[in-house]
Amino acid sequence: MRKGLILEGGAMRGMFTAGVLDVMMENGITFDGAAGVSAGAVFGCNFKSGQIGRVIRYNTKYCRDRRYCSLYSLLKTGDLYGADFCYREIPENLDIFDEEAFEKNPMPFYVVATDVETGMPVYRRCNTGTGEDLLWMRASASMPMVSRPVEIGDRLFLDGGMSDSIPLRFMEGIGYRKNVVVLTRPAAYRKKEKGLGAMRLFLRKYPYLALAMEERPYVYNETLSYIKEKEEKGEVFVIRPEEALDLARIEKKPERLRAAYEAGRRIAENKLEGLRDFLKDNE
């Protein structure tokens, strides 16, 4: 039975996921495949490269750097998170991403992005962690209104969370039957219905993307119900925060990033025995 890992996004709530993944790596927890969305993609890729501590290290170091994430970057480049700094300068020079280890690890790693023309999710397997793979990771984490759509081939893409925030069904559909889902919201959370507001103007050229955004609360909450049902049957193992993380969507305080990371570590350590039992081969 193939074992999958699914990583929700959530901007800097992904620091919780980073803590969970570091504990998994430290304890030799492996999977047959993984899928990440948004922060789950750009932070989760370090699980495939085996780089314990990298996510918390570069985020706490550069969170206040205007090249990393700032209004300055948005006005200068069109991206709140500076594309050149985040996807070239950091991984190539400042905190090097281990492309060789990523490529040598046989675990398939999928990222989810949203096609802006169709509003539908697109699932990309990233094999090398370089070149076009980086474009897909960047697209997966490119939030609407504060990011330029990412051009890949002849298509434009944005945040995967707009169309498939938690790709459990995708992983099941390609043969993963024993799945661990890392969420970044507590168990009681449900997404509230709200209008698009100013985003409607941003999305005026992309009606199907606007429709996907309008339907997102319903789709997201239905997915949570599906996960709960699978969890109660013992078919899915869920790791999530016990309470809402004290983080701004664009967090500039290293101590808060560290607190979210440590919360992920703590919960992962507490669940480690249960996780090992869940992942045991019993067929």
Side-chain angles (χ1 to χ4, degrees), residues 84-144:
D84 182 70
F85 189 71
C86 293
Y87 296 96
R88 185 194 62 78
E89 184 66 13
I90 288 178
E92 291 183 9
N93 300 312
L94 300 177
D95 199 319
I96 295 172
F97 179 65
D98 194 337
E99 299 165 357
E100 182 179 0
F102 183 95
E103 186 170 6
K104 284 184 176 180
N105 185 337
M107 181 192 76
F109 183 74
Y110 300 90
V111 303
V112 187
T114 302
D115 187 312
V116 301
E117 294 288 346
T118 67
M120 298 298 292
V122 177
Y123 306 91
R124 161 76 178 200
R125 178 172 172 173
C126 296
N127 296 314
T128 67
T130 63
E132 197 167 278
D133 283 358
L134 285 176
L135 286 179
W136 282 99
M137 292 180 195
R138 177 182 153 206
S140 183
S142 291
M143 298 180 291

Side-chain angles (χ1 to χ4, degrees), residues 13-72:
R13 294 196 309 275
M15 299 311 299
F16 173 86
T17 303
V20 171
L21 296 182
D22 279 357
V23 169
M24 287 182 179
M25 286 189 280
E26 290 164 2
N27 287 275
I29 303 294
T30 61
F31 296 87
D32 301 309
V37 182
S38 194
V42 296
F43 295 163
C45 63
N46 294 276
F47 185 76
K48 182 171 165 66
S49 64
Q51 291 181 271
I52 298 169
R54 181 172 181 266
V55 175
I56 184 62
R57 185 172 62 239
Y58 76 75
N59 274 281
T60 52
K61 185 172 184 178
Y62 297 111
C63 64
R64 290 176 172 166
D65 192 312
R66 69 179 187 173
R67 297 171 297 172
Y68 183 58
C69 176
S70 65
L71 181 60
Y72 165 84

